[in-house]
Amino acid sequence: MRLYHKIASGAMALALGCVAMTSCTDEIKFGNAFIEKAPGGTVTIDTVFNSAEYTKQFLTAIYSLQYYGLPYRNEDSHNNANVPHSQCDWNSKLDALTDCYHQHFSGSAAYNQYYVGSLTSASQPLISYTGDLVWKAVREAWTLIENVDNVSGLSDAEKASMAAQAKCLIASRYFDLFSVYGGLPIIDHTFTGTESSFEVPRASIEKTVNFMVKLLDEAIPNLRWAWDGNSSDTDATNTGRWTAAGAMALKAKILLIAASPLYNADRPYYDGTSQAETDSLVWYGDFQQSRWERALQACQAFMDANAANGNYYQLWTTDASNPTCDNYRQAYRKGYIAQESHEVIHATRVATIFGTQSTYRWWNFVGGSGPFRASYGPTQEYVDMFPWSDGTPFDWDKDMEAGLINGKKQSDGSYNFEGKLFYENKVLRGGIVQKKASRDPRLYENAIVNGMNVTLDWTTGTSTGNVYELWVGGAHEGTDAAQYDADGNVTITEKDVTRFPSGYGTIKYWLGEEYHRQYMHWVYLSYDEMLLMYAEALAQCGRLSDAITQIDKVRARVGLGGIASCNPKLDLRNNKANLIEEILRERACELGMSNNRYYDMIRYKRTDWMTKQLHGLLTFRLMKNSSGKLVRVFRAYIGDDKTAGVAQPSQFEFERFELQNIRRILWGLDSNDLEVRKWLLFPFPLTEINKGYGLVQNPGW
């Protein structure tokens, strides 16, 4: 979208951050100077809101303060108050704290704060209460709401729309903190700057939720359903603005999280003695089924409104007449990344175009020139969540015994090496390998695996080029995960700042030339997420068959069979607990690298995900020696072997290994231990608590 790029060149871009709100300040400041603004600016409120154009640019500048989920800035954001803490590539994504990814970069926050357990109330969590410009966005949005009616040159409808967008921006920024901190101080207006002190106590979960929902409910009637391009004022330059669809989807997500066991339970998640618990700042104080009903109503309202608007939002699907893994992958990929995708309900961007500015660090640090600081190694646990290509579940132990991974075990203890962990390989005449993907197509879009083609053509949806050599000694893996000696002995390495330390590679949001010179967006809300939220709310309200219908819509897009028929032993039409577990797994497969696995972990209080040992994968290339015996070969195929006409590798041996660089401090602990449970919510900064405006610390911190 062009909207965010305008902030880099607009006349007000530099001035908007220093609009003089008052002529004086107070020493007590909340977060980013609370709502009042420090002196020193030269542009006044009268200047900004005396011009329709300046007012529009003011709103655009607030959009630039939204949460953007991919780290893209380098070291300059460490101590730069104008750069969001979460956007620095040293500070890690929430995904690195889940069981899906493990970050090996020793300079990252995940590695040196969370994995080793050194995070305190003096640290900045991955989403910072003070460092992510949340309160600046809130301040600027309320300033617009309170002044937009005075702007000449704007119609009443334009004014109402701009105020509605500002309310969505406030609600979304509140959600970004609510989802990881709990109840928050309620700021519902700007401050004069003449206050001698601030009394804005931390609000309860109920009040925080109702505050966000009220803002969205007020905004929805004054917003377009979508910026659909059907008229001159709804063209692509406005894509990315808040819409009625976005507001309704965010409302549903807020209510879904609020209804989840973290906040909606018979007992608090910690020990029940802290002020945050007794004052209902980190839970409602009880369990009420009506909260799930409220979330379901919000999901249903979105679906009804979407149907009334011609089902504008829908899954990107492939041609049913050509059901290949590549085409399913292409549909899944375009659904989340294509500029024109109707699957994206709301996305955020930065004023950076891939391929033209080196500040877009995600590209280089995931799979470009490196160093690979953003190489979030997918774990074996994550890869195991993806079913077989027909939709039947994958189970490492059972499938290993059945010969589906390394082949069937022979009487001498060896294997026939005809497994199909990622691909079924058939060697044709001349050494040409004909392969067929054997797993859920989404796996290949969430993790780079051995044997996967380097390129998926953006236009044709066909895999081409060399394959990723992720065996030990392979052209791509090398010794990232393990090293070897002349005798064939293997030692685990899990090297720092390498691309494949877990034996897998990051691929989500890492794309090739097909995305050259495009504005890289990060999906904040999407239609596939809405379908799975709807399914979850239906299941939690006892409508299991209806929930399965929604899940199957998501699975069908990538050619998977129905979830109930593929899992007959789970009795999903009658067993609610099993169905919820499958929905959480399905969300991990569908919504990779989107923060949602982290949200699921904490809102369902899945401390068992926090404490389990995670694994990587060692892959070994096998070749016959002079005696006709299959042995491990620690060399690349690309290069001398390929040039010499050696048959393309098609036989491999796979071994799981325990991730150990670095071992997370929670691994192996009792999942019910208070030292584990405290990690369900982030700590508020001690400096803010000491300001005395009413902030209360989360339990255990």
Side-chain angles (χ1 to χ4, degrees):
M1 161 191 99
R2 283 73 170 176
L3 176 64
Y4 294 92
H5 188 59
K6 290 179 182 177
I7 66 175
S9 57
M12 294 297 294
L14 297 179
L16 291 176
C18 54
V19 174
M21 301 300 174
T22 69
S23 59
C24 59
T25 61
D26 186 83
E27 291 183 358
I28 300 174
K29 296 183 179 64
F30 174 92
N32 302 115
F34 205 40
I35 297 297
E36 57 84 17
K37 186 72 175 176
T42 58
V43 180
T44 67
I45 286 179
D46 289 340
T47 301
V48 173
F49 297 107
N50 193 41
S51 162
E53 184 61 29
Y54 284 179
T55 302
K56 291 176 182 179
Q57 290 181 8
F58 188 91
L59 176 60
T60 299
I62 305 173
Y63 271 96
S64 73
L65 301 175
Q66 294 179 108
Y67 176 77
Y68 182 78
L70 300 178
Y72 77 97
R73 294 296 293 267
N74 205 348
E75 295 86 347
D76 64 342
S77 55
H78 272 309
N79 299 306
N80 188 337
N82 293 315
V83 176
H85 175 78
S86 60
Q87 292 183 355
C88 175
D89 52 67
W90 296 71
N91 292 327
S92 306
K93 280 183 56 60
L94 292 175
D95 301 83
L97 308 184
T98 72
D99 56 347
C100 294
Y101 298 92
H102 191 72
Q103 194 172 18
H104 291 80
F105 173 40
S106 60
S108 70
Y111 190 108
N112 61 44
Q113 289 187 348
Y114 290 82
Y115 294 174
V116 302
S118 67
L119 185 75
T120 70
S121 59
S123 312
Q124 287 210 69
L126 299 191
I127 297 181
S128 172
Y129 180 74
T130 56
D132 265 288
L133 306 186
V134 169
W135 304 111
K136 180 177 181 180
V138 170
R139 177 183 65 242
E140 306 290 0
W142 279 122
T143 300
L144 184 140
I145 293 167
E146 294 170 0
N147 289 277
V148 69
D149 282 344
N150 300 323
V151 181
S152 60
L154 293 174
S155 68
D156 289 344
E158 287 177 312
K159 292 175 182 178
S161 174
M162 294 176 75
Q165 292 175 58
K167 289 179 180 180
C168 290
L169 289 163
I170 295 171
S172 66
R173 294 274 44 196
Y174 259 81
F175 167 77
D176 297 333
L177 296 184
F178 164 76
S179 61
V180 292
Y181 287 96
L184 301 164
I186 302 300
I187 310 303
D188 57 6
H189 63 284
T190 58
F191 280 61
T192 66
T194 61
E195 294 82 0
S196 60
S197 64
F198 295 118
E199 288 294 334
V200 277
R202 184 180 176 190
S204 67
I205 290 295
E206 183 170 20
K207 288 181 179 178
T208 304
V209 169
N210 289 342
F211 173 67
M212 293 184 287
V213 169
K214 181 175 182 290
L215 286 169
L216 295 169
D217 282 343
E218 291 172 350
I220 289 167
N222 294 307
L223 294 170
R224 300 177 184 275
W225 181 248
W227 293 87
D228 53 22
N230 290 335
S231 59
S232 61
D233 61 343
T234 64
D235 62 17
T237 63
N238 290 295
T239 304
R241 291 189 182 275
W242 278 98
T243 60
M248 294 182 75
L250 180 57
K251 175 182 175 178
K253 188 165 187 173
I254 290 168
L255 293 176
L256 190 86
I257 289 180
S260 299
L262 177 65
Y263 296 143
N264 184 26
D266 290 327
R267 55 187 298 181
Y269 72 87
Y270 201 63
D271 63 4
T273 65
S274 70
Q275 182 182 350
E277 292 167 304
T278 58
D279 289 354
S280 299
L281 308 181
V282 293
W283 70 314
Y284 274 103
D286 61 8
F287 169 79
Q288 292 185 22
Q289 177 62 29
S290 60
R291 295 181 185 120
W292 280 114
E293 296 287 350
R294 189 183 182 194
L296 175 57
Q297 290 169 7
C299 291
Q300 184 65 61
F302 174 91
M303 296 302 174
D304 291 345
N306 193 44
N309 283 277
N311 288 310
Y312 179 85
Y313 294 101
Q314 54 186 280
L315 295 177
W316 193 302
T317 56
T318 188
D319 182 359
S321 66
N322 190 22
T324 66
C325 179
D326 281 351
N327 282 324
Y328 287 136
R329 281 183 60 194
Q330 183 77 325
Y332 175 78
R333 175 184 285 191
K334 284 196 170 185
Y336 82 87
I337 205 65
Q339 299 284 295
E340 67 274 24
S341 174
H342 287 199
E343 194 167 322
V344 178
I345 298 173
H346 186 72
T348 58
R349 288 171 171 78
V350 293
T352 299
I353 306 174
F354 160 64
T356 63
Q357 294 176 310
S358 63
T359 54
Y360 191 76
R361 314 300 289 186
W362 186 257
W363 171 261
N364 285 335
F365 288 179
V366 169
S369 59
F372 301 104
R373 295 177 188 162
S375 183
Y376 294 73
T379 65
Q380 189 60 46
E381 282 69 20
Y382 187 30
V383 172
D384 288 354
M385 295 179 196
F386 294 87
W388 294 104
S389 59
D390 62 357
T392 54
F394 177 88
D395 184 305
W396 180 280
D397 293 329
K398 291 181 180 178
D399 291 333
M400 175 66 80
E401 185 66 25
L404 299 179
I405 296 177
N406 279 341
K408 294 182 179 179
K409 204 166 188 176
Q410 307 299 299
S411 58
D412 63 357
S414 64
Y415 295 90
N416 65 5
F417 299 103
E418 293 179 356
K420 58 173 189 175
L421 180 59
F422 304 123
Y423 295 96
E424 293 182 83
N425 291 309
K426 182 178 181 181
V427 182
L428 306 178
R429 183 175 298 177
I432 298 174
V433 176
Q434 184 182 74
K435 66 181 183 182
K436 179 181 179 182
S438 56
R439 298 287 291 279
D440 179 344
R442 295 173 298 186
L443 169 60
Y444 311 97
E445 286 295 306
N446 282 280
I448 296 173
V449 303
N450 184 64
M452 186 170 133
N453 289 90
V454 172
T455 301
L456 178 67
D457 187 88
W458 184 255
T459 303
T460 64
T462 303
S463 294
T464 59
N466 291 317
V467 301
Y468 280 105
E469 299 183 6
L470 298 193
W471 61 81
V472 179
H476 300 95
E477 176 70 49
T479 58
D480 286 4
Q483 63 185 16
Y484 50 90
D485 61 23
D487 297 321
N489 299 308
V490 175
T491 304
I492 303 298
T493 55
E494 290 182 72
K495 289 183 179 178
D496 187 9
V497 200
T498 57
R499 193 177 178 191
F500 304 105
S502 68
Y504 297 105
T506 312
I507 187 172
K508 197 72 179 284
Y509 285 100
W510 184 79
L511 302 168
E513 281 300 304
E514 67 273 9
Y515 214 68
H516 192 67
R517 298 185 185 280
Q518 299 279 353
Y519 292 91
M520 294 292 284
H521 68 216
W522 185 77
V523 178
Y524 195 81
L525 294 161
S526 60
Y527 185 66
D528 54 345
E529 181 185 359
M530 275 302 309
L531 288 171
L532 293 175
M533 287 198 296
Y534 188 27
E536 182 183 346
L538 286 164
Q540 287 289 5
C541 292
R543 296 170 55 183
L544 306 192
S545 292
D546 290 339
I548 288 169
T549 298
Q550 302 307 316
I551 300 167
D552 286 350
K553 292 178 183 178
V554 176
R555 288 167 62 91
R557 187 257 290 276
V558 288
L560 302 181
I563 196 167
S565 60
C566 288
N567 295 273
K569 294 182 179 179
L570 296 180
D571 190 23
L572 297 181
R573 296 192 183 278
N574 299 292
N575 191 312
K576 176 180 173 180
N578 284 351
L579 182 56
I580 295 298
E581 196 70 17
E582 279 301 290
I583 290 172
L584 295 180
R585 181 201 55 75
E586 196 69 27
R587 281 171 56 86
C589 295
E590 180 71 22
L591 306 173
M593 200 59 76
S594 67
N595 291 350
N596 278 292
R597 183 64 171 180
Y598 184 80
Y599 295 151
D600 292 351
M601 179 175 72
I602 62 174
R603 68 190 180 93
Y604 272 94
K605 298 187 287 191
R606 295 304 298 266
T607 50
D608 57 318
W609 296 355
M610 296 179 177
T611 55
K612 66 183 177 183
Q613 170 71 53
L614 301 179
H615 297 78
L617 184 73
L618 295 182
T619 302
F620 299 100
R621 176 186 175 187
L622 301 172
M623 292 184 68
K624 289 183 178 180
N625 62 12
S626 57
S627 301
K629 182 179 179 180
L630 285 170
V631 296
R632 294 176 176 178
V633 176
F634 302 101
R635 68 172 185 264
Y637 174 71
I638 299 173
D640 292 343
D641 280 1
K642 183 177 181 180
T643 302
V646 175
Q648 185 176 332
S650 60
Q651 294 180 309
F652 302 96
E653 183 180 7
F654 303 99
E655 288 183 8
R656 290 181 297 184
F657 70 94
E658 291 188 352
L659 295 174
Q660 49 194 293
N661 181 26
I662 183 172
R663 287 185 56 81
R664 304 186 194 182
I665 196 170
L666 299 184
W667 286 351
L669 296 184
D670 182 345
S671 61
N672 290 316
D673 193 295
L674 291 180
E675 282 302 305
V676 176
R677 283 189 276 165
K678 79 172 187 179
W679 291 89
L680 288 170
L681 289 179
F682 288 165
F684 286 96
L686 184 61
T687 54
E688 291 297 300
I689 293 172
N690 289 341
K691 289 178 180 178
Y693 55 77
L695 197 61
V696 176
Q697 186 58 277
N698 278 332
W701 297 102

